[in-house]
Amino acid sequence: MHMMTKAALILLALSTTACTRPDRFGGANGGVDPNAAGANGGINAAPLGSAGDPNSPAYFSQTIGDRVLFVVDQSTLTPTAMATLDGQSQWLLQHADYLAVIEGHADEQGTREYNLALGARRANAVREYLISKGVPSNRLRTVSYGKERPIAVCSDESCYSQNRRAVTVISAGSIS
Amino acid sequence: MIRALFLMTLALPLPAKADPDWTQAFRAKVQACWLADPALAHVKVVAGFDLDTTGRVEGDVSLVRADGGTLADQARAFAAARRAVVRCQPYLAVLPDDQYALWHKVELTFVFPVTPSS
Amino acid sequence: MTRPFSTYFAALLAAVLVAGAATPVLAQSGPLRITIDQGIMEPLPFAAPGFQAETTGSEQFAADIARVVAEDLAGTGLFRQIDPASFISAPGGFGDQVAFADWRAINAQALIKGAVSVSGGQLVVKFRLYDVFAGGELGEGMQLAGTTDGWRRMAHKVADQVYSRITGESGYFDSRVVFVSESGPKDNRQKRLAIMDYDGANLQYLTDSGSIVLAPRFSPSGDRVLYTSYESGFPRINLLDVATVGRREIQTQAGEMTFSPRFSHDGRSVIYSLSNGGNTDLYRTDLGTGQSSQLTNAPSIETAPSLSPDGSQIVFESDRSGTQQLYIMSANGGEPRRISFGDGRYGTPVWSPRGDLIAFTKQNQGRFHIGVMRTDGSEERLLTASFLDEGPTWSPNGRVVMFARETQGASGASTLYSVDVSGRNLKQVPTPGGASDPSWGPLQP
C-alpha cells in the first residue's frame, strides 16, 4: 500500500490523455492499447509485462495496487482505498480492452453466509466507485468469497486487516 | 446503627420451627440415589408418597406437580424422581420413629439443576 | 405411533390414584415437604450383556451390533453402560426369565437383551428392554430384518427404540449428516461435500474438490441436498440427489450471487439469499415451476433462513439494525420482528424440529458461542464457547446440536462437534479430515 500514493500521482499526471479517449470495450482482442502506450512513452523503461511496464496487468496489481482494505464489518471505502481506486479507474479507462472481476473478501471473524453477503457489499462498493469514475459498468463484475480465501492465515488483526479486502482482478478479453 | 438492626431483628417473629436435623439426613439420603439427568435442566417435579412405619414407600409414588420442559421431559423427570425414592428406601434409619405423623406423608420437590455453559 | 414408555407411565399414574384413595389419612398436619436440588449428575446406568449369536457365522454381527447399540446410548451422555465384569448373574438366553434382583443389586436401571441370526445374506436382530426397578419389560420385544451390510443401521434402530422407550421422545441414531469435508492449509483450503452416519461411520464423498462448496442442507426426507457451489465461477445454488449423486444448478431469480439455500418444509421450494448490487435479500423459488417471489426487501443483509417445522414462519438473520440479529417473519414474507436482544451479534438461526427452540451462533467480545433461545427470544442459553463455533444443526429429535469448531492460528482447522441442548456432553464427531457446515438429516425410514 505504501507505493500507492506515488502511483496515484503518476496516473493523475497521465489522466488528461486517457480521459479524452472514448470508453470502448467489447471486441477488444487483448492487444495493447495504443493510446495508453503513447501516453506512457518515455516515462518507463521496463521490460514489457513487468510491474514497471504501465500497460501490464502486473503494473495494475503491484504498482497501482489491485486491492483495497476495509475496517471490521464495514464496506465503506476509506480515503486510502479511494486513492487506490482512482488509480485503478484511470488504468481501466486507459486500457479499455481489459475487464475486471472485483472479489470481495472478509476475515474469519464472522459466520460463513453473512461473510459472503459482506464480501458482496465490499465488492459492490468498489464497483460503484469505479463506475462513478467513468469505468463502464459492463466491464466490471463482482464475486464474493466471504471468508473462504484468506491471504494471511494468522488469527489476529495483523492478518484480519489484510483479509478484509476487495481485489480487482483484470483480464484481457471481451465481455461474456 | 448496629443496635437499631439488632432491635429490628428481635422484633421479627422467630421461624415457626427450624428444620430438624433428620429432614437434612432424609434429603441427603434421597439425593444420593437421584440421577439428575443433565438434559432436564429447568424441570421441576413434586413427587408425593406415603411411608409406612418402617420407612418404606407404601403404595406408589405420585406426581403432584410438574413445571418446565416438555411433557416428555416432565415424564422423564418424574420417572427419575420415583426411581430415587424407591431405590433408597427404607428410610427409618434417618427418620425419628417416635414422630411418624410428621413423615407419614411426604412431598419431595426435585429441582433439576441448570448446568452452566461450558 | 405408540409410546410404550408413556403407556407405562400412564398406567403407573392410574395405579397411584387407586392406592392413594385407599390410604387413610393418619397425619395431623400436611405432608413433610422437602426440596431436593443436588442430585448425582450421573447418566442412567444400563446393562447390555451382549447379543446372543443364534446361528453360526453371526457371532461377529452379534458383537458388533451390541457394541454399536451401547455406543449410541452411552454417547448421548444420558446413559452409562455398566461394566459386564460386575454382573452377578449370567444374562441367560434371549427368552429366559430375568433375575431382576441381580440387576437391581448392581444398580442397573435398564437391561437390554438381544439375539442375532444370519441366513444367507439376511440378518435378523431381536431385542427386549427391561425396566429393572419396575421388574418388567419396557415395551414389547422387537425383531428387525435386513441384509448383512445394513447391520449398523439395524443396531442404530435398536438403540433408537431403547432410547425412545426410556425417554419418551424419539431417538436420532439412525440418521445421517451431510457436511463440507476440508483439507489443505488455511490459505488454500479444498472443500467437497460428504455424507456420513451421525456417528461418523460410512463416509462418502459427494463432490470433488474442484470448486468451493458451502453450507449443504438436507431435504426434509433426506433424499436431496441443496448447497452453494462456485462451479460456475460464481456462487450458485445447486441441488444434489443423494442416491445417484447427480447434481445441477437450480434456476432461481436472476442475481449476481445466490447462496444460503434451505428447503421448504414440504421439500418443494427453496428459500435462499440473492445478492444484487451489494444488497442481499431473501427469496423463494418453487423447484417444480421455477416461480419465484421476494420475501424481504431491505437495504441490508438478509440471509441464513430457517423454516419453522410447520412451515408457517421463517427465522433469519439481518443487519438492518446495524449488527447481525435474528428476526422472525411469516413464510410468505411480511414485516419481521426481532427476537435477539442480548449483547453481541447473532447469526445462523435454526429452528428446532420440536418447534420450541431456535439454535444460533453468537459472537460477543471476540468469542463465538452456540446457543439456544425460545422462539420469542426468551431464555437464551449459551451451550458452548470457543475461538470460533458456528453453524448449528439439530438432531432429528431436537435433543442434540451439531456445529463446526475452528481452531485458532495459521494451522487452524475446522472439525465437527455435538452438544446436548442442556450444554452437556460436548464431544467431537469423528471425520477423516477437517469438516464444517454440518446438516443433520431426518431419522431414516
Side-chain angles (χ1 to χ4, degrees):
Chain A
M1 292 303 292
H2 62 281
M3 301 195 60
M4 191 207 58
T5 314
K6 193 173 87 185
L9 286 172
I10 293 168
L11 280 152
L12 275 171
L14 300 172
S15 63
T16 318
T17 322
C19 283
T20 58
R21 190 181 173 279
D23 294 325
R24 290 251 170 84
F25 46 92
N29 53 16
V32 176
D33 182 328
N35 286 341
N40 288 315
I43 295 179
N44 294 288
L48 286 173
S50 79
D53 172 3
N55 296 316
S56 70
Y59 182 87
F60 181 89
S61 63
Q62 293 166 38
T63 310
I64 296 172
D66 62 354
R67 65 201 55 203
V68 297
L69 306 181
F70 296 86
V71 299
V72 177
D73 202 18
Q74 294 298 318
S75 55
T76 312
L77 298 171
T78 64
T80 315
M82 289 186 202
T84 303
L85 296 178
D86 287 338
Q88 289 188 7
S89 63
Q90 292 302 336
W91 195 94
L92 286 166
L93 288 169
Q94 290 162 359
H95 300 82
D97 45 353
Y98 280 92
L99 307 177
V101 174
I102 303 149
E103 300 176 349
H105 298 269
D107 66 32
E108 69 186 355
Q109 298 170 291
T111 50
R112 196 176 311 289
E113 290 171 331
Y114 178 82
N115 276 2
L116 266 188
L118 179 60
R121 253 187 200 162
R122 287 174 174 162
N124 191 65
V126 167
R127 183 173 186 267
E128 302 222 314
Y129 188 86
L130 294 177
I131 290 170
S132 78
K133 294 295 168 183
V135 181
S137 61
N138 57 356
R139 285 174 60 197
L140 303 170
R141 284 193 79 171
T142 59
V143 61
S144 174
Y145 287 98
K147 60 175 174 176
E148 303 306 312
R149 288 284 179 260
I151 49 164
V153 295
C154 69
S155 290
D156 50 56
E157 180 55 25
S158 67
C159 289
Y160 294 162
S161 62
Q162 298 175 62
N163 291 334
R164 291 190 300 266
R165 68 199 193 276
V167 183
T168 308
V169 179
I170 55 168
S171 61
S174 58
I175 291 173
S176 57
Chain B
M1 187 66 186
I2 288 170
R3 185 175 163 77
L5 281 174
F6 181 65
L7 288 172
M8 273 175 62
T9 308
L10 283 183
L12 290 172
L14 287 171
K17 190 166 54 178
D19 248 11
D21 287 347
W22 60 264
T23 62
Q24 301 284 2
F26 182 45
R27 176 193 286 123
K29 191 161 163 67
V30 179
Q31 221 153 247
C33 285
W34 179 36
L35 303 174
D37 183 340
L40 296 175
H42 293 295
V43 180
K44 187 168 94 177
V45 291
V46 181
F49 54 92
D50 292 355
L51 292 174
D52 67 15
T53 52
T54 68
R56 287 193 161 274
V57 175
E58 202 171 50
D60 214 327
V61 181
S62 65
L63 178 61
V64 178
R65 200 166 50 252
D67 296 303
T70 62
L71 283 177
D73 287 342
Q74 294 178 359
R76 290 178 59 202
F78 174 63
R82 180 190 138 268
R83 283 195 192 95
V85 170
V86 171
R87 183 152 23 128
C88 269
Q89 63 180 340
Y91 296 101
L92 194 59
V94 296
L95 296 170
D97 54 5
D98 57 342
Q99 296 180 62
Y100 180 59
L102 291 182
W103 50 263
H104 166 229
K105 283 190 169 299
V106 183
E107 280 186 15
L108 297 182
T109 302
F110 291 81
V111 182
F112 284 73
V114 176
T115 56
S117 307
S118 54
Chain C
M1 195 191 122
T2 58
R3 278 205 161 158
F5 183 81
S6 304
T7 313
Y8 159 84
F9 183 63
L12 178 79
L13 285 179
V16 169
L17 289 174
V18 173
T23 309
V25 179
L26 297 178
Q28 298 302 304
S29 55
L32 171 65
R33 291 195 170 91
I34 296 178
T35 296
I36 296 177
D37 53 11
Q38 299 284 314
I40 317 166
M41 300 297 279
E42 188 185 296
L44 186 137
F46 70 94
F51 278 39
Q52 194 182 341
E54 292 187 320
T55 56
T56 50
S58 64
E59 294 84 359
Q60 192 60 48
F61 287 114
D64 287 342
I65 288 169
R67 176 177 52 81
V68 169
V69 170
E71 283 172 1
D72 280 347
L73 293 171
T76 63
L78 307 177
F79 301 88
R80 175 178 61 82
Q81 186 178 18
I82 295 171
D83 182 359
S86 65
F87 292 174
I88 293 169
S89 61
F94 181 66
D96 293 357
Q97 197 81 24
V98 174
F100 288 110
D102 290 349
W103 299 107
R104 271 183 213 124
I106 59 168
N107 195 26
Q109 299 274 340
L111 169 67
I112 305 161
K113 293 182 74 173
V116 175
S117 60
V118 176
S119 167
Q122 287 290 306
L123 181 67
V124 175
V125 181
K126 296 184 287 188
F127 79 94
R128 290 184 189 279
L129 173 65
Y130 300 91
D131 182 336
V132 172
F133 281 83
E137 208 172 335
L138 192 50
E140 300 196 332
M142 190 177 258
Q143 177 172 309
L144 302 159
T147 52
T148 50
D149 58 358
W151 69 268
R152 262 188 166 274
R153 283 200 56 196
M154 291 164 83
H156 289 320
K157 286 219 174 289
V158 171
D160 277 327
Q161 276 292 323
V162 171
Y163 180 96
S164 78
R165 290 177 187 192
I166 292 177
T167 66
E169 64 189 31
S170 63
Y172 57 84
F173 308 122
D174 186 25
S175 62
R176 299 206 280 180
V177 174
V178 63
F179 65 101
V180 173
S181 172
E182 301 192 359
S183 58
K186 207 167 167 181
D187 56 355
N188 186 24
R189 195 142 282 169
Q190 307 297 307
K191 296 193 167 197
R192 50 186 168 160
L193 286 191
I195 192 170
M196 63 185 183
D197 295 352
Y198 96 100
D199 57 0
N202 293 325
L203 183 124
Q204 185 195 343
Y205 295 104
L206 302 174
T207 65
D208 62 29
S209 54
S211 50
I212 301 173
V213 288
L214 302 175
R217 288 291 188 284
F218 263 122
S219 63
S221 60
D223 60 339
R224 292 165 297 159
V225 172
L226 282 167
Y227 63 103
T228 303
S229 169
Y230 280 70
E231 203 164 354
S232 69
F234 295 85
R236 288 277 179 265
I237 297 169
N238 279 237
L239 179 67
L240 180 139
D241 183 279
V242 174
T244 66
V245 201
R247 62 181 198 270
R248 63 179 169 90
E249 186 179 311
I250 63 161
Q251 291 308 307
T252 61
Q253 184 84 4
E256 290 159 13
M257 167 167 95
T258 51
F259 65 106
S260 198
R262 321 285 194 244
F263 279 98
S264 61
H265 71 301
D266 62 5
R268 290 187 188 156
S269 310
V270 52
I271 293 151
Y272 56 98
S273 279
L274 180 147
S275 292
N276 260 331
N279 184 39
T280 300
D281 272 307
L282 292 174
Y283 287 74
R284 181 188 196 116
T285 293
D286 187 299
L287 286 167
T289 66
Q291 207 155 35
S292 295
S293 60
Q294 186 168 356
L295 301 177
T296 63
N297 188 358
S300 43
I301 292 172
E302 274 71 38
T303 190
S306 173
L307 270 142
S308 60
D310 66 1
S312 69
Q313 290 172 288
I314 297 174
V315 61
F316 63 99
E317 60 172 75
S318 166
D319 69 347
R320 61 184 62 195
S321 72
T323 59
Q324 254 177 303
Q325 299 293 340
L326 307 184
Y327 294 79
I328 288 180
M329 66 178 177
S330 155
N332 301 318
E335 194 55 40
R337 72 175 187 283
R338 180 171 163 179
I339 61 163
S340 61
F341 291 97
D343 294 333
R345 299 159 60 175
Y346 295 78
T348 76
V350 187
W351 214 302
S352 148
R354 292 182 184 182
D356 57 343
L357 294 174
I358 288 167
F360 54 83
T361 305
K362 176 168 176 162
Q363 288 169 260
N364 193 25
Q365 298 182 332
R367 302 275 285 171
F368 277 73
H369 308 270
I370 301 299
V372 295
M373 59 172 62
R374 299 259 169 219
T375 56
D376 60 2
S378 67
E379 291 184 43
E380 175 179 325
R381 275 185 289 149
L382 299 182
L383 309 180
T384 73
S386 92
F387 166 71
L388 208 178
D389 286 348
E390 82 166 287
T393 179
W394 290 96
S395 63
N397 65 352
R399 166 61 66 192
V400 181
V401 171
M402 194 182 287
F403 59 97
R405 169 168 289 183
E406 181 135 6
T407 52
Q408 200 167 353
S411 58
S414 181
T415 46
L416 303 184
Y417 278 77
S418 66
V419 65
D420 191 273
V421 72
S422 68
R424 297 181 67 92
N425 201 36
L426 175 74
K427 57 179 191 170
Q428 195 171 346
V429 180
T431 52
S436 61
D437 294 357
S439 169
W440 204 326
L443 266 184
Q444 300 190 83

